[in-house]
Amino acid sequence: MLHLVTKDNRSLYARELDDLHRVRKSVFVDELGWRLNVVDGREIDAYDDDRAIYGIGFDYNGRVTMSGRYRPTDDRSMLMDVFPHSLTPGLGNLNGPDTWEFSRGFCLETGGKRHNQQRRAMLMLTPLEIAYACGISSYIAFSEVRLLPLFINMGWRVTLLGDPVSYGEGEGIAYRVEVSEEAIRHMRETYDLPAPCHIHLLPDANDTRSVHERAREIADRAPLYASIMPQATDRPYVARSTSRGIDQTRLRRRAYAWTRENQYAAHP
């Protein structure tokens, strides 16, 4: 299951959050070449504040292997602060009390076994679960164009908010993700995930176990949770080169065309 880290339980995840920011640096800066703020080997930005919520998944050895950041937008958002030029003119301010922003998502989960697929799906489902429970109706986000087909195929109901724009290291696009009971139900049934597929562990003066030990106990009591725990035989992630001779422009064009045809707004 995905661990939910909020201002209420960050004290339990000091080592894990340090690992998270180091992995983010290795993924976004070292591998993808993004020019981001790095402090002592950690990728951290202005939206990693007390309002940020993290969904974090770990490998068998307790190291960060996937994560996403969810944050309310009633005060600000990266999309409106940094990428407003990516929006179709006339949309206005997309920030608001019923909208959150998804950002800094990554997944190093590899393998094609059922539990690997479920673990990738829980990364996508958890933000919907959390937002829906808080009365939120949608996420806004800005992502690399090539990722949108993957998100849609995984079950996100995506509506484009503009055309692709260059962000220096590639082409990104703004979009909205529907948060609804139906969207959550469909993803949960498709991947046979528990409800919820995340856990929110709170500090307990009488429980000195690590968050990983506490998660294992929960999994031992529930078969569906056990099914999405990491396995000792899972293959480690190997960083990929971004310059392998592939026509990136062509891939982005194909991804954008497919997304336009399959975005949720295109369906009655």
Side-chain angles (χ1 to χ4, degrees), residues 61-167:
N61 296 311
R63 303 310 301 266
V64 173
T65 189
M66 62 179 70
S67 181
R69 179 176 64 189
Y70 334 132
R71 191 185 181 284
T73 68
D74 53 359
D75 57 350
R76 57 184 176 142
S77 70
M78 184 187 300
L79 178 58
M80 296 305 303
D81 295 345
V82 182
F83 303 108
H85 57 286
S86 70
L87 300 172
T88 298
L91 287 180
N93 186 1
L94 301 179
N95 296 345
D98 62 346
T99 300
W100 282 5
E101 182 172 50
F102 181 89
S103 59
R104 290 297 189 269
F106 67 88
C107 182
L108 308 184
E109 184 80 14
T110 61
K113 295 182 179 179
R114 181 60 174 171
H115 78 279
N116 299 128
Q117 297 170 353
Q118 288 178 303
R119 287 173 57 74
R120 287 188 284 268
M122 76 178 182
L123 179 66
M124 308 293 290
L125 178 55
T126 292
L128 304 188
E129 290 180 327
I130 301 305
Y132 183 74
C134 294
I136 303 304
S137 62
S138 65
Y139 278 94
I140 53 173
F142 180 88
S143 300
E144 163 63 49
V145 174
R146 292 171 300 173
L147 294 176
L148 269 294
L150 170 64
F151 295 165
I152 293 173
N153 281 323
M154 290 291 290
W156 273 12
R157 298 182 174 187
V158 168
T159 301
L160 297 180
L161 299 174
D163 295 328
V165 298
S166 173
Y167 60 86

Side-chain angles (χ1 to χ4, degrees), residues 179-243:
V179 174
S180 66
E181 183 177 9
E182 172 59 23
I184 293 170
R185 182 196 62 77
H186 182 264
M187 288 192 68
R188 178 167 290 125
E189 292 180 354
T190 298
Y191 294 98
D192 193 24
L193 293 172
C197 63
H198 64 274
I199 56 173
H200 186 214
L201 303 175
L202 294 174
D204 183 347
N206 297 316
D207 193 339
T208 60
R209 295 174 300 168
S210 73
V211 293
H212 306 287
E213 292 170 325
R214 292 172 66 177
R216 174 56 66 180
E217 181 189 46
I218 294 172
D220 288 343
R221 297 198 307 260
L224 273 181
Y225 283 119
S227 74
I228 55 175
M229 292 293 285
Q231 305 298 317
T233 56
D234 287 342
R235 295 180 298 175
Y237 175 79
V238 177
R240 296 160 294 179
S241 171
T242 57
S243 57

